[in-house]
Amino acid sequence: MSSVKLRKEKNCLNCGHHVEETYCPHCGQENIELKEDAWHMITHAIADYFHFEHKFFGTIKPLLFKPGKLTVEYVAGKRASFLHPIKLYIFISIVFFITIFSGNKKKEKAAEPTAEITEKLKNDTITSKSLKEAKQILDYIPLSKSKKDSILKEVEKDIKENGTATVNIGSSRKSKKRYNKLMSDEKSVEEYEKNQRALPKEERDNFIVNYFTKKGIEFNKYPDPSAKIGEDMIKYIPKMMFLLLPLFALILKLVYIRKHRYYYEHLIYSFHTHSAIFLSFILVKGLSWLTGFVVDLSGWISFAGLIYLVWYIYRSLRTFYGSSRWVTVLKFFFLNFCYSILLTICFLIIIAISFIGG
């Protein structure tokens, strides 16, 4: 940087190579004085920050508003002004997964019910003298919003007519419990093995069934086994994406084989497109949160986001690959079908990994 004093010596302190000007031609380290004052250190850090910021926003603008254009320019060799596709993807994906998963955790996490409400939850009915109390009880019951609204209407009606309300919710609560246990009724692995040994050899479970049944018994020790599997899956989803992106690039290579593009070009397109998709989700979630303080527009914002993504993918395919309108539409639907299959396979892989790893 011009604000930092350069060393008079021409040897690189990092690798020892000769430095003719500012940067080492071998490792790229800047040949600056180590004993810089505080002001130089601060100005150097600020300059580096704004250099990154300029690059970042210079990349985000064409990424979001000119679908496919960023990939075209990057492949053509205009790279100094833009962030590297993998660095861009990693940065946006980290923000994306933090945003999405932290939001889910907040929804799942609820305050502990009071002793009074806990006592009322033991029964399969809501008995209440006020609508506010009924709402408090329903907050701790796993029901859909529409079901809760329906129950509250009944409560409100009964309170107006009788001064108190009693609503049966037993069937809704019991239905959830059926899914809490996985694969086996045995309480321990030892009990399962004992039951297996008691069977004739030809009737015993094979290796695969045996393994997954034992895993199911271990998961049953958790209060909610399905939630535990979900938590384990979350850890593997970011890693799954690094498997999915190269596979998607391979599909693009096969679908657009007549374009005679190198595989790495399809890979760059894959990273850019997924970065744009993730960034769109972040913006949709952010806008939904902001407008929620005034009026709930989350449904409309999500719908607009979906329309934007469909347009974005179509436009980016047409810009980068240069096919005609109808060819692009046909390939868009075919790629969507292939991607759905690929996504399903990858999810099955991480379910298996999370189950084995659990």
Side-chain angles (χ1 to χ4, degrees):
M1 295 291 176
S2 59
S3 62
V4 181
K5 189 177 179 182
L6 297 176
R7 293 173 65 240
K8 293 179 181 179
E9 296 82 2
K10 297 296 182 180
N11 64 307
C12 176
L13 293 173
N14 183 55
C15 66
H17 278 70
H18 181 75
V19 183
E20 189 62 39
E21 295 181 355
T22 307
Y23 296 95
C24 174
H26 185 258
C27 69
Q29 178 167 293
E30 195 173 7
N31 192 31
I32 59 174
E33 286 284 357
L34 296 179
K35 296 177 181 178
E36 58 180 342
D37 58 38
W39 174 249
H40 275 157
M41 183 179 70
I42 292 167
T43 55
H44 190 254
I46 291 172
D48 280 346
Y49 171 77
F50 282 107
H51 177 67
F52 170 81
E53 186 185 61
H54 174 75
K55 235 182 179 183
F56 178 75
F57 288 105
T59 304
I60 292 300
K61 188 176 177 181
L63 179 72
L64 283 178
F65 301 110
K66 296 180 180 179
K69 184 70 175 174
L70 178 63
T71 314
V72 169
E73 292 191 351
Y74 197 90
V75 168
K78 299 177 182 178
R79 302 183 178 186
S81 302
F82 306 119
L83 287 180
H84 190 281
I86 296 178
K87 288 181 181 178
L88 175 69
Y89 170 79
I90 290 172
F91 177 79
I92 292 175
S93 67
I94 288 171
V95 178
F96 169 77
F97 288 120
I98 289 172
T99 304
I100 300 301
F101 294 145
S102 64
N104 289 342
K105 284 179 183 177
K106 284 176 185 175
K107 287 179 183 177
E108 290 168 7
K109 189 177 180 182
E112 289 295 320
T114 62
E116 186 183 348
I117 292 176
T118 302
E119 186 62 33
K120 291 184 178 183
L121 286 171
K122 289 179 181 177
N123 303 316
D124 288 331
T125 59
I126 287 181
T127 304
S128 175
K129 292 184 179 180
S130 71
L131 194 62
K132 184 179 178 182
E133 185 185 19
K135 285 179 180 178
Q136 287 178 336
I137 296 169
L138 282 171
D139 283 341
Y140 301 100
I141 300 174
L143 297 172
S144 65
K145 188 177 181 301
S146 58
K147 182 67 177 174
K148 287 183 180 181
D149 290 342
S150 175
I151 291 171
L152 287 172
K153 284 179 183 177
E154 289 183 51
V155 170
E156 189 176 18
K157 183 181 176 184
D158 286 355
I159 289 172
K160 283 180 180 178
E161 293 177 357
N162 309 316
T164 185
T166 303
V167 180
N168 193 323
I169 55 167
S171 58
S172 299
R173 295 181 71 193
K174 287 173 184 174
S175 63
K176 191 189 176 198
K177 293 179 183 177
R178 292 192 203 124
Y179 301 96
N180 281 346
K181 228 171 185 183
L182 297 175
M183 297 187 71
S184 179
D185 291 326
E186 282 90 354
K187 293 180 180 179
S188 67
V189 173
E190 291 75 18
E191 184 184 342
Y192 169 71
E193 288 178 338
K194 183 181 177 182
N195 291 340
Q196 285 292 299
R197 286 194 297 269
L199 294 171
K201 196 171 183 179
E202 61 274 6
E203 293 182 20
R204 294 175 190 172
D205 293 338
N206 60 44
F207 172 78
I208 296 173
V209 174
N210 184 287
Y211 178 84
F212 281 99
T213 303
K214 288 178 182 178
K215 282 292 179 182
I217 293 168
E218 290 174 9
F219 272 108
N220 284 335
K221 294 176 183 177
Y222 294 96
D224 190 346
S226 57
K228 170 63 178 170
I229 291 176
E231 288 172 12
D232 290 344
M233 281 177 62
I234 286 171
K235 294 187 294 185
Y236 293 103
I237 288 176
K239 296 175 184 177
M240 179 205 77
M241 293 305 298
F242 274 100
L243 170 65
L244 188 144
L245 268 66
L247 291 176
F248 180 60
L250 183 61
I251 291 172
L252 288 168
K253 172 74 175 172
L254 296 173
V255 170
Y256 286 99
I257 196 165
R258 291 185 179 179
K259 295 295 179 181
H260 304 293
R261 287 189 175 274
Y262 293 106
Y263 174 75
Y264 85 90
E265 297 178 64
H266 302 287
L267 193 58
I268 290 169
Y269 173 83
S270 182
F271 276 108
H272 280 160
T273 303
H274 282 83
S275 296
I277 291 170
F278 285 177
L279 191 55
S280 300
F281 275 112
I282 294 167
L283 292 173
V284 165
K285 196 169 180 68
L287 285 171
S288 299
W289 178 75
L290 284 172
T291 56
F293 289 105
V294 182
V295 61
D296 185 11
L297 296 174
S298 57
W300 287 103
I301 293 171
S302 298
F303 179 72
L306 179 63
I307 297 297
Y308 167 79
L309 285 178
V310 172
W311 169 80
Y312 183 95
I313 295 168
Y314 160 78
R315 189 70 252 174
S316 64
L317 285 171
R318 195 162 180 215
T319 300
F320 183 61
Y321 292 104
S323 298
S324 65
R325 182 180 288 108
W326 289 110
V327 170
T328 303
V329 168
L330 289 172
K331 289 190 176 182
F332 169 84
F333 283 110
F334 180 71
L335 285 168
N336 185 57
F337 172 73
C338 293
Y339 191 84
S340 300
I341 294 173
L342 194 60
L343 196 61
T344 303
I345 292 168
C346 287
F347 265 113
L348 290 173
I349 290 170
I350 65 165
I351 288 170
I353 292 171
S354 64
F355 204 78
I356 292 167

